[in-house]
Amino acid sequence: MTNSETEPLRPVVWHAHNPPQRVPGTVRYLDQTRLPGEVVYIETDQLDELCRAIRELQVRGAPAIGITAAMALAANLQHGPDETAELMQQLELSAEKLAATRPTAVNLFWALERMRRRGKECRLLPPESFKEELALEACRIRDEDAATCVAIGRHGAALLKDGDTVLTHCNAGALATAETGTALAPVYQAHTDGKRIAVIADETRPLLQGARLTAWELIRGDIEVTLICDNMAAQVMREGRVNAVFTGADRIAANGDTANKIGTYGLALLANAHKVPFYICAPFSTIDMQTPDGSQIPIEQRAPEEVTAFAGARTAPEGVKVYNPAFDVTPAALISAIVTEHGIIRGDLKSGIAAARQ
Ligand code: MRU
């Protein structure tokens, strides 16, 4: 299925077969591995397919992973037995499978926990109502994320002035969320407010989310974007071309240390060396109060082939050893502020996060 350029980008939605009833329904997601060449949507209610879609980055970006997982649980329940107690067991088993797809983005675990909690609240309902309620909860998670993006956009746009250039890494835009993104939400909002904002997008090796996804969605959104290779960021900053760095986050520890796409830590060091403000934009669901600091954040290790080949063509010799961590951790001390849906956390991030969570 192809999409028209004018439709809003919706990386993942619940497609109800008989609205307003949510059940039966399917999960409809944009296959991001085919961008920018093709815009292809896939519809499925199969848990294993959705687990694979998350693992292989057909859907990616922390909030979108959480939304997809919630919808995958709801879709899978439709094939479940006619006993609510058994549906609850199925929910648990499916949640375990989804939890094993990607370890770093905490939004995945947050969304699974929320669905489990809703399951417990609905345990006395008849099976059909139980399925409907869980589908509704998944849709609520999506809708709330859309509102969160708008709020992050409003708070973050206040940090941008007319004529600014923002450097960003990976993709933390519409393709990673239910609406305008996290790191890109302030850019879209400032643009809507009439400010001239330009973006420099890091290509983001090895899977090129910056080149394939961020550049694509910003061009589509009529935002000026310039693509650079990751190793050009220092030069671009020294030339004074960057007013601020905005990135997303996959997990923020209680002390403000932040895991995001590999390369983010290096950018934070460069930004500090060049006195460029470095902002993390993320919803509260990305803050993990159970993780005291960044050393406790699990870092996803991905296949060597992502580094030794691209689009099926080898770019390194056979037999070479590869290290391929998908994320790194930026220490809180290098982060100027965290932009959330509830406002901007500055200064001592640990106490700022603790105060904001109350
Ligand atoms: O491996 P990916 O493409 O899922 O990594 C995505 C990122 O690192 C994003 O910056 C992060 O998830 C924030 S998305 C709003």
Side-chain angles (χ1 to χ4, degrees), residues 57 60-63 65 102 105 169-173 176-177 181-183 209 247-250 260-261 281 300 326-327:
L57 276 56
R60 31 73 46 209
I65 292 171
R102 296 196 73 190
H169 191 63
C170 194
N171 173 267
T177 61
T182 54
Q209 288 93 330
T247 78
D250 283 80
N260 192 51
K261 178 54 56 191
C281 303
E300 179 180 7
F327 299 95

Side-chain angles (χ1 to χ4, degrees), residues 292-313:
D293 62 59
S295 68
Q296 312 290 308
I297 299 178
I299 300 294
E300 179 180 7
Q301 302 293 325
R302 292 190 59 90
E305 292 73 29
E306 291 181 352
V307 179
T308 56
F310 193 76

Side-chain angles (χ1 to χ4, degrees), residues 148 151-152 155 282 284 339-344 356:
T148 292
I152 289 175
H155 294 300
F284 263 45
V339 183
T340 76
E341 68 271 41
H342 301 301
I344 299 179

Side-chain angles (χ1 to χ4, degrees), residues 151-334:
I152 289 175
R154 291 220 179 94
H155 294 300
L159 300 168
L160 293 171
K161 55 185 191 317
D162 187 37
D164 273 355
T165 296
V166 167
L167 189 146
T168 193
H169 191 63
C170 194
N171 173 267
L175 287 167
T177 61
E179 190 64 47
T180 45
T182 54
L184 294 188
V187 171
Y188 285 117
Q189 182 63 52
H191 179 77
T192 304
D193 295 343
K195 296 178 193 167
R196 285 164 301 132
I197 305 293
V199 174
I200 295 177
D202 271 358
E203 65 175 353
T204 316
R205 279 281 289 151
L207 296 179
L208 303 188
Q209 288 93 330
R212 294 187 303 103
L213 309 178
T214 296
W216 180 80
E217 77 159 78
L218 288 175
I219 287 171
R220 195 176 181 277
D222 219 10
I223 310 269
E224 185 187 328
V225 55
T226 302
L227 181 63
I228 60 167
C229 301
D230 298 337
N231 52 6
M232 297 172 186
Q235 179 67 9
V236 165
M237 284 190 205
R238 190 160 69 178
E239 289 171 1
R241 294 175 191 271
V242 181
N243 300 101
V245 177
F246 278 65
T247 78
D250 283 80
R251 192 184 296 229
I252 301 174
N255 73 341
D257 292 351
T258 296
N260 192 51
K261 178 54 56 191
I262 190 76
T264 304
Y265 172 38
L267 271 185
L269 288 166
L270 292 176
N272 274 259
H274 291 91
K275 308 218 176 331
V276 171
F278 180 89
Y279 298 115
I280 294 288
C281 303
F284 263 45
S285 53
T286 306
I287 300 174
D288 178 8
M289 296 305 280
Q290 309 308 315
T291 299
D293 62 59
S295 68
Q296 312 290 308
I297 299 178
I299 300 294
E300 179 180 7
Q301 302 293 325
R302 292 190 59 90
E305 292 73 29
E306 291 181 352
V307 179
T308 56
F310 193 76
R314 282 202 76 87
T315 55
E318 295 280 358
V320 69
K321 280 204 294 185
V322 170
Y323 179 51
N324 185 18
F327 299 95
D328 58 26
V329 175
T330 299
L334 296 177

Side-chain angles (χ1 to χ4, degrees), residues 19-182:
Q21 262 76 45
R22 301 286 171 157
V23 172
T26 37
V27 185
R28 185 175 187 261
Y29 68 90
L30 175 57
D31 180 354
Q32 298 190 27
T33 60
R34 295 167 80 158
L35 289 172
E38 290 176 295
V39 180
V40 177
Y41 285 87
I42 296 174
E43 231 175 278
T44 182
D45 59 7
Q46 297 298 308
L47 181 74
D48 287 346
E49 266 187 57
L50 289 162
C51 285
R52 190 189 42 73
I54 294 173
R55 206 178 300 111
E56 295 182 4
L57 276 56
Q58 287 181 307
V59 276
R60 31 73 46 209
I65 292 171
I67 295 164
T68 307
M71 290 186 177
L73 287 179
N76 179 254
L77 284 175
Q78 297 175 109
H79 306 293
D82 278 339
E83 283 289 337
T84 303
E86 289 174 40
L87 285 173
M88 298 267 297
Q89 282 174 7
Q90 180 165 323
L91 185 68
E92 280 303 319
L93 290 175
S94 310
E96 274 171 35
K97 275 193 175 180
L98 283 156
T101 53
R102 296 196 73 190
T104 305
V106 77
N107 308 60
L108 168 64
F109 307 97
W110 171 87
L112 293 175
E113 190 45 41
R114 193 162 146 177
M115 292 293 282
R116 280 196 187 104
R117 207 179 323 129
R118 187 70 190 134
K120 284 181 194 139
E121 286 164 5
C122 297
R123 67 187 180 282
L124 299 177
L125 294 180
E128 287 319 308
S129 315
F130 182 86
K131 293 175 188 176
E132 182 80 17
E133 282 304 323
L134 271 286
L136 260 174
E137 185 70 1
C139 292
R140 262 195 296 269
I141 289 175
R142 199 215 80 90
D143 294 348
E144 287 170 20
D145 186 63
T148 292
C149 292
V150 173
I152 289 175
R154 291 220 179 94
H155 294 300
L159 300 168
L160 293 171
K161 55 185 191 317
D162 187 37
D164 273 355
T165 296
V166 167
L167 189 146
T168 193
H169 191 63
C170 194
N171 173 267
L175 287 167
T177 61
E179 190 64 47
T180 45
T182 54

